[in-house]
Amino acid sequence: MKKTVQIAIDGPAGAGKSTVAKILAQELGYIYIDTGAMYRALTYKIIKEKLDLTDISLLKELAEKTSITFDNGQGFANQLVYCDGEDVTQLIRSPGVNKLVSKVASIPEIREIMVLKQRNLSLTANVIMDGRDIGTVVLPDAKYKFFLTASLQERANRRLKELKEKGYNVQYAGVLDDIAQRDLMDSTRDVAPLKPARDAVIIDTSNMSLNEVVSKIKKIVLEGENRAL
Ligand code: DC
């Protein structure tokens, strides 16, 4: 079987990972896997089922049995996320999920299950996977690894715009605070904290356009793949 190509894109919230990954997936013909959406979908389910975050065995059971799938029929930019058959694409971006998801993602037993699910998704096709621990834990042998960053203020502005476009009534200060708190939790947790893999290309996107970021990554991947031919 031909070995699949894996591209890992990590970085903090609002660095532009998913927007960049979706465009690259479309242009390169790879599958896009949004691992943040997977943690969000599970968080949505935990809230819906009113589970206690300290009840690890129930949480593990839920993580194992919950089916999280993606529908890319309308292109990656319009990717739909399903949780046990329910379309949760919008629901997983709600302030309630935003508030809880870092806590859920910091539970080692949950991460173990999610990492296996994520690796399984990468076995059959060329993939672009984005998250926090893709280059370090989920796909440590990924051929291409990128770590996108941007200043906190820039990331808060981007998230604010995104949420407003989705119809949420949010303020800059609240969004900034939310991102800062998630950064702190994601980067200080014991298991798989947010950090660049040693072999990742670090890209500060604060003063770059979306096109510039996409072009930079695409150039590196295409050069690498041409060399491999
Ligand atoms: O990328 P995002 O904002 O949708 O991610 C939601 C949360 O999930 C965020 O707090 C970090 C966490 N996450 C993680 O711990 N590991 C991943 N691979 C992806 C996301």
Side-chain angles (χ1 to χ4, degrees), residues 10-14 17-18 34-40 43 92-93 98 100-103 105-106 111 115 118 130-134 138 159 182-183 185-186 189 191-192 194:
D10 290 301
K17 301 178 301 285
S18 64
D34 179 351
T35 63
M38 296 174 75
Y39 285 100
R40 286 171 178 274
T43 303
I92 62 171
R93 308 282 158 193
N98 279 347
L100 201 67
V101 65
S102 287
K103 266 205 183 105
S106 70
R111 297 200 72 84
V115 166
Q118 290 156 8
D130 78 350
R132 304 294 190 285
D133 59 340
I134 310 305
V138 182
R159 226 354 102 81
R182 282 205 288 142
D183 279 359
M185 284 199 70
D186 294 341
R189 68 180 174 224
V191 182
L194 168 69

Side-chain angles (χ1 to χ4, degrees), residues 38-64:
M38 296 174 75
Y39 285 100
R40 286 171 178 274
L42 185 65
T43 303
Y44 164 78
K45 196 84 182 181
I46 289 170
I47 295 172
K48 194 174 169 190
E49 306 222 340
K50 298 192 174 69
L51 288 195
D52 186 337
L53 282 196
T54 59
D55 193 339
I56 301 296
S57 68
L58 266 186
L59 289 177
K60 272 174 74 176
E61 198 184 306
L62 187 78
E64 298 265 13

Side-chain angles (χ1 to χ4, degrees), residues 37-205:
M38 296 174 75
Y39 285 100
R40 286 171 178 274
L42 185 65
T43 303
Y44 164 78
K45 196 84 182 181
I46 289 170
I47 295 172
K48 194 174 169 190
E49 306 222 340
K50 298 192 174 69
L51 288 195
D52 186 337
L53 282 196
T54 59
D55 193 339
I56 301 296
S57 68
L58 266 186
L59 289 177
K60 272 174 74 176
E61 198 184 306
L62 187 78
E64 298 265 13
K65 74 174 187 202
T66 300
S67 147
I68 301 165
T69 52
F70 297 102
D71 176 354
N72 296 304
Q74 304 299 317
F76 291 108
N78 300 307
Q79 181 172 74
L80 298 177
V81 186
Y82 285 86
C83 185
D84 287 333
E86 178 187 1
D87 179 353
V88 295
T89 314
Q90 303 299 330
L91 295 167
I92 62 171
R93 308 282 158 193
S94 69
V97 171
N98 279 347
K99 275 223 150 1
L100 201 67
V101 65
S102 287
K103 266 205 183 105
V104 171
S106 70
I107 300 171
E109 291 85 351
I110 286 195
R111 297 200 72 84
E112 211 174 294
I113 295 166
M114 300 304 265
V115 166
L116 287 183
K117 287 187 187 222
Q118 290 156 8
R119 280 190 194 137
N120 280 339
L121 288 172
S122 77
L123 294 178
T124 51
N126 294 340
V127 292
I128 301 183
M129 197 179 276
D130 78 350
R132 304 294 190 285
D133 59 340
I134 310 305
T136 50
V137 177
V138 182
L139 305 174
D141 297 327
K143 189 164 176 187
Y144 305 98
K145 296 181 185 177
F146 300 93
F147 191 87
L148 301 192
T149 62
S151 69
L152 176 62
Q153 290 74 13
E154 176 63 24
R155 291 187 286 121
N157 269 322
R158 291 180 191 168
R159 226 354 102 81
L160 181 73
K161 188 164 168 266
E162 200 179 291
L163 286 168
K164 284 205 160 151
E165 278 167 8
K166 287 191 177 129
Y168 289 109
N169 180 18
V170 282
Q171 307 297 324
Y172 176 76
V175 174
L176 185 116
D177 191 49
D178 179 56
I179 291 190
Q181 284 204 24
R182 282 205 288 142
D183 279 359
L184 185 70
M185 284 199 70
D186 294 341
S187 52
T188 55
R189 68 180 174 224
D190 291 339
V191 182
L194 168 69
K195 64 166 186 220
R198 251 183 300 165
D199 48 350
V201 176
I202 299 177
I203 305 175
D204 185 340
T205 71

